[in-house]
Every structure is written in structure tokens, then in C-alpha cells.
Amino acid sequence: MKLVLDTNIYSDYAEGLPAIVDLLAIHGEDILLPSIVLGELSYGFMKVSRQRFNEKKLQEFIRKLKIEIINVNHNVARKYGIIYLSLVKTGRKLPINDVWIAACCMETGGTLVTRDRHFRQVDQIETMFI
């Protein structure tokens, strides 16, 4: 099972939340992290005093669990367009970064693991809510 992690799921893992640690240990044979999530995490790290520690912890997480980074490319950009158009046509709204995260998920065919219920509005992806 491919798991695409939302920002809040990495944060939960980094804090040692047992449900997330167990989930990744059990189902984590193929874990992916959108580059947009890396951007959100970097922003968050820059706002706190432990920036270096947090960045190092993230890099260790990526290395130890062999996390694949989903970069934004032409295919992801097309998926973004598909999702965003669908949301606009139906009058639904999502934060723009989350539309990009959904596009990364759609491109890889993975299941998005998140706490954000607004992803229910995205018909094009599978989600696992924690």
C-alpha cells in the first residue's frame, strides 16, 4: 500500500504519536511525501527555535524509512488542474497547498493519510483519516 503523508501526519510521527508510528511501521513499505509538505514543514521549522533539530529529524525520517519525495512536474500540474477545476465546478474549496498535495497523491495512486477532513471533497483520491 502506498501511503502519501500530509503535513500533520509527519508532525504526529515526529511527536511520537503511537497510532501514526504504528501505522507507518505496519503499512509503511511504500511511503511518499509530497514536496509541498516539505515546504510546509520548512516554513514551520523556520518559525521555531529548534529549526536545525527539526530539519535533521526530518532528513533522518526520510533516509531511515526510505521515503520517496513526490516532486511537482508536468503530470502533477495536470492533476492539480483536474482537481481544482472539479472543486470550482462544484463550489467546494480547499487550501491551495492541499490541492497540490492531492494532485501529488493522484499522480502516484497512493492513499493520502491525513487528519484534514476537507480532503473528503477531493473525489479523485483515496484518503485514510486518522
Side-chain angles (χ1 to χ4, degrees):
M1 170 186 281
K2 287 184 188 179
L3 299 179
V4 178
L5 306 185
D6 192 11
T7 307
N8 52 45
I9 298 303
Y10 170 76
S11 296
D12 290 348
Y13 178 87
E15 290 178 19
L17 192 70
I20 302 304
V21 172
D22 292 347
L23 174 74
L24 298 187
I26 294 167
H27 299 290
E29 61 273 357
D30 202 3
I31 304 172
L32 301 97
L33 199 61
S35 57
I36 292 81
V37 169
L38 292 176
E40 290 182 341
L41 290 169
S42 292
Y43 168 72
F45 295 164
M46 290 176 195
K47 296 186 325 181
V48 298
S49 61
R50 297 175 12 151
Q51 179 180 354
R52 276 202 145 131
F53 172 81
N54 289 330
E55 289 173 350
K56 184 177 179 185
K57 191 172 185 176
L58 174 61
Q59 290 308 315
E60 287 175 8
F61 169 76
I62 291 169
R63 183 180 49 76
K64 284 183 180 177
L65 296 178
K66 298 180 177 132
I67 306 295
E68 179 183 339
I69 305 301
I70 308 167
N71 292 309
V72 174
N73 59 27
H74 181 263
N75 294 328
V76 171
R78 262 190 75 59
K79 303 297 189 290
Y80 170 90
I82 291 166
I83 293 168
Y84 193 61
L85 180 61
S86 173
L87 291 168
V88 168
K89 281 184 174 182
T90 57
R92 297 176 281 175
K93 294 187 183 227
L94 234 67
I96 290 299
N97 279 358
D98 288 347
V99 178
W100 281 109
I101 291 168
C104 289
C105 186
M106 183 180 176
E107 172 62 20
T108 62
T111 299
L112 181 65
V113 184
T114 185
R115 281 190 274 115
D116 293 337
R117 302 286 185 219
H118 60 247
F119 278 106
R120 286 184 176 149
Q121 299 179 73
V122 182
D123 300 328
Q124 296 84 356
I125 63 170
E126 288 188 32
T127 51
M128 178 187 300
F129 296 102
I130 304 297

